[in-house]
Amino acid sequence: MPWFYDPRRTYEDNYALGPFGGFGDVAAARPDGPPRESFAGEAVYSAFGIPAGPLVNAAFCAAAFRAGFDVNVYKTVRTRTHPVHPFPHTLAVHVDGDLTPERAARPLLADDALDEATSISNSFGVPSRDPDAWQADMAAAVAAAGPGQLLVGSFQGTRPDADAGDRDGAYLADHVAAARLVRETGARALELNLSCPNEGTGALLCFDTPAVTRIVAAVKEEIGDLPLYVKLAHFRDDAALAGLVRATAPYVAGYAAINTIPARLVDADGRQALPGEGRAVAGVCGDAIRWAGLDMVERLARLREDVSSAFEIVGVGGVLTADHARAYRAVGADAVMSATGAMLDPGLGAAVRGSTAPVA
């Protein structure tokens, strides 16, 4: 399979040598006429692209734009260097059907049978280079977007050391500093990652509504008129999701859902599949989580009506075909993104450009 991010290579090799699988050579024809959709206040040819994750630097982003993915998210960055988890990061995850909460509560087999994989692990730990490196590279990714295309800069805060004073205040300040650094690259939209399950830090930030509200309010004050999107996990509780939306809708341009579904991954002998402390549970993405992405988009669309807000919804999770993208649009997504599907099919962006109308 033509993985443009090669899961059999290390993160550093991918960063230095990628993209792979001929992805850099794919060039989609520019559509006739002006861009006919919009996202984040920008005219785009299609509100479809690749979410934060596989687009690790400007070379990957430029290749995605050339291939016809029109809204792409630069991999999440931090205010300081942060290491990647031990290799490997991406394994084939064997799931029969949907990865429901009940199924995710039991161990899942994960191995290196990637040639047939449509569901995979995503366990990197949100690595980041120093801002001196990533700011210039993100600026190059911003510049790589052509007419009708948009680069979104993804960021997150880093928790302070255990012995640091005023940990909550330092954590909020770090989010604000990260947003400022992304703004300085020229990115015209920002995404705040609240939903990574791969850091071994317990409950996801997106489930802490008071903390999220304080953070997004401070970040929005920092970035001014730039659109701010927040990346969410799957919420099982309707009241919790409604509370988050009502509290944060005044500050954000939209919500992206979902990131991954965390699950315990084991090898054929029942041992932890991914090496290293804190990696017994890892995020799963791909075909098995599409149900959860669709579910979140549909619920967010209902909440948008309930709170009389105009926020945008980005559907993410298990989009392997243009039909999957159309299904997301049908339940209320304003934009759709694909990571696993895009890695497997370099032509997916061009295919979606011709299939953006919602299904009946």
Side-chain angles (χ1 to χ4, degrees), residues 70-251:
D70 293 324
V71 181
N72 296 307
V73 186
Y74 190 102
K75 185 171 176 62
T76 306
V77 294
R78 301 175 185 258
T79 59
R80 54 187 180 272
T81 302
H82 193 80
V84 68
H85 280 333
F87 182 81
H89 311 109
T90 302
L91 298 174
V93 179
H94 299 271
V95 186
D96 184 13
D98 294 338
L99 183 55
T100 62
E102 294 74 23
R103 182 66 190 90
R106 306 193 304 273
L108 293 174
L109 174 64
D111 56 30
D112 62 359
L114 288 159
D115 287 346
E116 304 300 325
T118 56
S119 295
I120 58 176
S121 68
N122 173 356
S123 179
F124 292 84
V126 196
S128 179
R129 280 166 163 70
D130 186 87
D132 286 345
W134 68 249
Q135 274 194 299
D137 191 71
M138 186 183 287
V142 171
Q149 297 183 320
L150 177 68
L151 190 284
V152 179
S154 174
F155 69 98
Q156 72 175 55
T158 302
R159 296 180 186 275
D161 296 334
D163 58 353
D166 187 21
R167 295 189 69 204
D168 289 344
Y171 192 34
L172 185 150
D174 195 69
H175 279 88
V176 173
R180 180 172 61 252
L181 291 167
V182 172
R183 184 196 64 200
E184 290 170 355
T185 69
R188 300 196 301 276
L190 280 68
E191 180 182 271
L192 170 56
N193 181 12
L194 302 174
S195 54
C196 179
N198 298 314
E199 294 190 85
T201 53
L204 301 182
L205 179 57
C206 64
F207 298 136
D208 185 344
T209 293
V212 169
T213 304
R214 290 192 296 270
I215 289 169
V216 297
V219 166
K220 185 59 179 171
E221 183 176 1
E222 173 65 33
I223 66 174
D225 292 337
L226 286 178
L228 174 65
Y229 297 82
V230 293
K231 186 72 169 287
L232 303 177
H234 183 259
F235 279 63
R236 297 182 68 177
D237 184 87
D238 283 337
L241 179 60
L244 177 77
V245 169
R246 291 192 178 99
T248 57
Y251 307 106

Side-chain angles (χ1 to χ4, degrees), residues 20-21 37 59-61 134 138-139 145 169 195 206 269 302 317 349:
F20 299 100
E37 294 198 293
F60 281 79
C61 294
W134 68 249
M138 186 183 287
S195 54
C206 64
D269 296 321
R302 289 198 299 268

